Short mmCIF file of all heavy atoms in Angstrom, two decimals:
data_model
loop_
_atom_site.label_atom_id
_atom_site.label_comp_id
_atom_site.label_asym_id
_atom_site.label_seq_id
_atom_site.Cartn_x
_atom_site.Cartn_y
_atom_site.Cartn_z
N ALA V 20 10.46 13.57 3.74
CA ALA V 20 9.54 12.45 3.63
C ALA V 20 8.12 12.87 4.03
O ALA V 20 7.14 12.47 3.40
CB ALA V 20 10.02 11.29 4.50
N GLU V 21 8.02 13.69 5.05
CA GLU V 21 6.71 14.17 5.50
C GLU V 21 6.06 15.05 4.43
O GLU V 21 4.85 14.97 4.19
CB GLU V 21 6.82 14.94 6.82
CG GLU V 21 7.05 14.06 8.03
CD GLU V 21 8.48 13.52 8.16
OE1 GLU V 21 9.40 14.03 7.47
OE2 GLU V 21 8.68 12.57 8.93
N GLU V 22 6.84 15.89 3.77
CA GLU V 22 6.30 16.76 2.72
C GLU V 22 5.84 15.95 1.50
O GLU V 22 4.87 16.32 0.85
CB GLU V 22 7.34 17.81 2.30
CG GLU V 22 7.60 18.85 3.37
CD GLU V 22 8.80 19.74 3.04
OE1 GLU V 22 9.74 19.27 2.36
OE2 GLU V 22 8.79 20.90 3.48
N LEU V 23 6.55 14.87 1.22
CA LEU V 23 6.15 14.01 0.10
C LEU V 23 4.76 13.40 0.35
O LEU V 23 3.96 13.28 -0.57
CB LEU V 23 7.19 12.93 -0.13
CG LEU V 23 8.54 13.41 -0.67
CD1 LEU V 23 9.57 12.31 -0.59
CD2 LEU V 23 8.40 13.92 -2.09
N LEU V 24 4.47 13.04 1.60
CA LEU V 24 3.16 12.48 1.93
C LEU V 24 2.09 13.58 2.01
O LEU V 24 0.93 13.34 1.69
CB LEU V 24 3.21 11.72 3.25
CG LEU V 24 3.98 10.41 3.25
CD1 LEU V 24 3.90 9.77 4.62
CD2 LEU V 24 3.48 9.46 2.18
N GLU V 25 2.49 14.76 2.42
CA GLU V 25 1.54 15.86 2.58
C GLU V 25 0.82 16.20 1.27
O GLU V 25 -0.34 16.59 1.28
CB GLU V 25 2.27 17.09 3.12
CG GLU V 25 1.35 18.23 3.47
CD GLU V 25 2.11 19.38 4.10
OE1 GLU V 25 3.19 19.15 4.69
OE2 GLU V 25 1.61 20.51 4.00
N ARG V 26 1.50 16.00 0.16
CA ARG V 26 0.86 16.32 -1.12
C ARG V 26 -0.39 15.48 -1.34
O ARG V 26 -1.36 15.92 -1.95
CB ARG V 26 1.84 16.18 -2.27
CG ARG V 26 2.30 14.77 -2.54
CD ARG V 26 3.31 14.70 -3.66
NE ARG V 26 3.81 13.34 -3.79
CZ ARG V 26 4.93 13.03 -4.35
NH1 ARG V 26 5.70 13.96 -4.85
NH2 ARG V 26 5.32 11.78 -4.43
N TYR V 27 -0.41 14.24 -0.84
CA TYR V 27 -1.59 13.39 -0.99
C TYR V 27 -2.72 13.83 -0.05
O TYR V 27 -3.89 13.78 -0.42
CB TYR V 27 -1.23 11.92 -0.74
CG TYR V 27 -0.21 11.41 -1.72
CD1 TYR V 27 1.07 11.07 -1.32
CD2 TYR V 27 -0.54 11.29 -3.07
CE1 TYR V 27 2.01 10.62 -2.24
CE2 TYR V 27 0.39 10.85 -4.00
CZ TYR V 27 1.66 10.51 -3.56
OH TYR V 27 2.59 10.08 -4.47
N VAL V 28 -2.36 14.28 1.14
CA VAL V 28 -3.36 14.78 2.07
C VAL V 28 -4.02 16.03 1.49
O VAL V 28 -5.23 16.23 1.61
CB VAL V 28 -2.72 15.07 3.45
CG1 VAL V 28 -3.71 15.74 4.39
CG2 VAL V 28 -2.20 13.78 4.07
N ASP V 29 -3.21 16.87 0.85
CA ASP V 29 -3.73 18.09 0.24
C ASP V 29 -4.56 17.81 -1.01
O ASP V 29 -5.55 18.50 -1.27
CB ASP V 29 -2.58 19.04 -0.12
CG ASP V 29 -1.88 19.61 1.10
OD1 ASP V 29 -2.45 19.54 2.21
OD2 ASP V 29 -0.74 20.10 0.94
N GLU V 30 -4.17 16.81 -1.79
CA GLU V 30 -4.80 16.56 -3.08
C GLU V 30 -6.11 15.77 -2.99
O GLU V 30 -7.03 15.99 -3.77
CB GLU V 30 -3.82 15.81 -3.99
CG GLU V 30 -4.36 15.55 -5.38
CD GLU V 30 -3.33 14.86 -6.28
OE1 GLU V 30 -2.12 14.88 -5.98
OE2 GLU V 30 -3.77 14.31 -7.30
N TYR V 31 -6.20 14.83 -2.06
CA TYR V 31 -7.35 13.94 -1.99
C TYR V 31 -8.19 14.22 -0.75
O TYR V 31 -7.67 14.28 0.36
CB TYR V 31 -6.89 12.48 -1.94
CG TYR V 31 -6.18 12.02 -3.18
CD1 TYR V 31 -4.79 12.05 -3.26
CD2 TYR V 31 -6.90 11.55 -4.27
CE1 TYR V 31 -4.13 11.62 -4.41
CE2 TYR V 31 -6.25 11.11 -5.42
CZ TYR V 31 -4.87 11.15 -5.48
OH TYR V 31 -4.23 10.72 -6.61
N GLU V 32 -9.49 14.34 -0.97
CA GLU V 32 -10.41 14.64 0.13
C GLU V 32 -10.49 13.49 1.14
O GLU V 32 -10.66 13.71 2.34
CB GLU V 32 -11.80 14.92 -0.43
CG GLU V 32 -12.76 15.45 0.58
CD GLU V 32 -14.07 15.86 -0.05
OE1 GLU V 32 -14.04 16.63 -1.04
OE2 GLU V 32 -15.11 15.42 0.44
N SER V 33 -10.35 12.25 0.68
CA SER V 33 -10.50 11.09 1.57
C SER V 33 -9.21 10.71 2.29
O SER V 33 -9.18 9.71 3.00
CB SER V 33 -10.99 9.88 0.77
OG SER V 33 -9.94 9.32 0.01
N VAL V 34 -8.15 11.51 2.15
CA VAL V 34 -6.85 11.16 2.71
C VAL V 34 -6.50 12.07 3.89
O VAL V 34 -6.62 13.29 3.80
CB VAL V 34 -5.74 11.24 1.64
CG1 VAL V 34 -4.38 10.91 2.24
CG2 VAL V 34 -6.05 10.31 0.49
N GLY V 35 -6.07 11.45 4.97
CA GLY V 35 -5.56 12.15 6.14
C GLY V 35 -4.35 11.40 6.66
O GLY V 35 -3.82 10.51 5.99
N TYR V 36 -3.93 11.74 7.84
CA TYR V 36 -2.79 11.05 8.45
C TYR V 36 -3.27 10.01 9.44
O TYR V 36 -4.27 10.19 10.13
CB TYR V 36 -1.89 12.04 9.18
CG TYR V 36 -1.11 12.95 8.25
CD1 TYR V 36 -1.41 14.31 8.19
CD2 TYR V 36 -0.10 12.46 7.45
CE1 TYR V 36 -0.70 15.14 7.34
CE2 TYR V 36 0.61 13.29 6.60
CZ TYR V 36 0.31 14.63 6.55
OH TYR V 36 1.01 15.46 5.71
N GLU V 37 -2.54 8.91 9.52
CA GLU V 37 -2.78 7.91 10.55
C GLU V 37 -2.47 8.54 11.91
O GLU V 37 -1.56 9.35 12.03
CB GLU V 37 -1.85 6.71 10.35
CG GLU V 37 -2.31 5.72 9.34
CD GLU V 37 -3.51 4.91 9.78
OE1 GLU V 37 -3.69 4.67 10.98
OE2 GLU V 37 -4.28 4.55 8.90
N THR V 38 -3.23 8.15 12.91
CA THR V 38 -2.98 8.70 14.25
C THR V 38 -1.85 7.98 14.96
O THR V 38 -1.16 8.57 15.78
CB THR V 38 -4.26 8.63 15.11
OG1 THR V 38 -4.71 7.27 15.14
CG2 THR V 38 -5.34 9.52 14.53
N GLY V 39 -1.65 6.72 14.66
CA GLY V 39 -0.59 5.96 15.31
C GLY V 39 0.76 6.16 14.65
O GLY V 39 0.85 6.46 13.47
N ARG V 40 1.79 6.02 15.43
CA ARG V 40 3.15 6.12 14.90
C ARG V 40 3.59 4.77 14.36
O ARG V 40 3.14 3.73 14.79
CB ARG V 40 4.12 6.58 16.00
CG ARG V 40 3.93 8.03 16.39
CD ARG V 40 5.01 8.49 17.37
NE ARG V 40 6.35 8.14 16.96
CZ ARG V 40 7.13 8.91 16.20
NH1 ARG V 40 6.70 10.04 15.75
NH2 ARG V 40 8.36 8.52 15.90
N ILE V 41 4.52 4.84 13.45
CA ILE V 41 5.07 3.63 12.85
C ILE V 41 6.22 3.14 13.72
O ILE V 41 7.10 3.91 14.10
CB ILE V 41 5.57 3.93 11.42
CG1 ILE V 41 4.40 4.36 10.55
CG2 ILE V 41 6.26 2.72 10.84
CD1 ILE V 41 4.82 4.94 9.24
N ASP V 42 6.20 1.88 14.02
CA ASP V 42 7.28 1.27 14.79
C ASP V 42 8.09 0.40 13.85
O ASP V 42 7.74 -0.75 13.58
CB ASP V 42 6.69 0.43 15.93
CG ASP V 42 7.75 -0.18 16.80
OD1 ASP V 42 8.86 0.37 16.87
OD2 ASP V 42 7.48 -1.23 17.41
N ALA V 43 9.16 0.98 13.30
CA ALA V 43 9.95 0.25 12.31
C ALA V 43 11.43 0.53 12.49
O ALA V 43 11.82 1.60 12.94
CB ALA V 43 9.52 0.65 10.90
N ASP V 44 12.24 -0.44 12.14
CA ASP V 44 13.68 -0.28 12.13
C ASP V 44 14.10 -0.27 10.67
O ASP V 44 14.35 -1.32 10.07
CB ASP V 44 14.34 -1.43 12.89
CG ASP V 44 15.85 -1.29 12.93
OD1 ASP V 44 16.35 -0.17 12.70
OD2 ASP V 44 16.53 -2.31 13.18
N PRO V 45 14.15 0.91 10.05
CA PRO V 45 14.29 0.98 8.61
C PRO V 45 15.68 0.69 8.06
O PRO V 45 15.82 0.40 6.88
CB PRO V 45 13.91 2.42 8.30
CG PRO V 45 14.31 3.17 9.52
CD PRO V 45 14.05 2.22 10.66
N GLY V 46 16.68 0.78 8.85
CA GLY V 46 18.03 0.61 8.34
C GLY V 46 18.65 1.95 8.00
O GLY V 46 17.97 2.97 7.96
N PRO V 47 19.94 1.96 7.72
CA PRO V 47 20.67 3.22 7.57
C PRO V 47 20.36 4.00 6.28
O PRO V 47 20.56 5.20 6.24
CB PRO V 47 22.13 2.79 7.59
CG PRO V 47 22.11 1.37 7.11
CD PRO V 47 20.81 0.80 7.61
N ASP V 48 19.84 3.35 5.26
CA ASP V 48 19.62 4.02 3.98
C ASP V 48 18.17 4.41 3.73
O ASP V 48 17.80 4.78 2.62
CB ASP V 48 20.09 3.12 2.83
CG ASP V 48 21.58 2.82 2.93
OD1 ASP V 48 22.32 3.66 3.44
OD2 ASP V 48 21.98 1.73 2.49
N VAL V 49 17.34 4.31 4.78
CA VAL V 49 15.91 4.51 4.62
C VAL V 49 15.39 5.54 5.62
O VAL V 49 15.83 5.59 6.76
CB VAL V 49 15.16 3.17 4.82
CG1 VAL V 49 13.66 3.35 4.69
CG2 VAL V 49 15.65 2.14 3.83
N VAL V 50 14.44 6.37 5.16
CA VAL V 50 13.76 7.35 6.01
C VAL V 50 12.30 6.94 6.12
O VAL V 50 11.64 6.69 5.11
CB VAL V 50 13.85 8.77 5.40
CG1 VAL V 50 13.04 9.76 6.21
CG2 VAL V 50 15.29 9.21 5.27
N VAL V 51 11.80 6.87 7.35
CA VAL V 51 10.39 6.53 7.57
C VAL V 51 9.69 7.76 8.12
O VAL V 51 10.07 8.27 9.17
CB VAL V 51 10.25 5.36 8.57
CG1 VAL V 51 8.79 5.04 8.81
CG2 VAL V 51 10.99 4.14 8.07
#
Side-chain angles (χ1 to χ4, degrees):
E21 286 76 14
E22 290 170 330
L23 291 168
L24 290 181
E25 187 175 335
R26 67 182 174 202
Y27 298 113
V28 174
D29 292 343
E30 182 177 342
Y31 295 95
E32 190 174 308
S33 76
V34 178
Y36 289 111
E37 278 289 330
T38 55
R40 289 186 48 89
I41 297 168
D42 182 26
D44 181 19
D48 299 330
V49 179
V50 175
V51 179

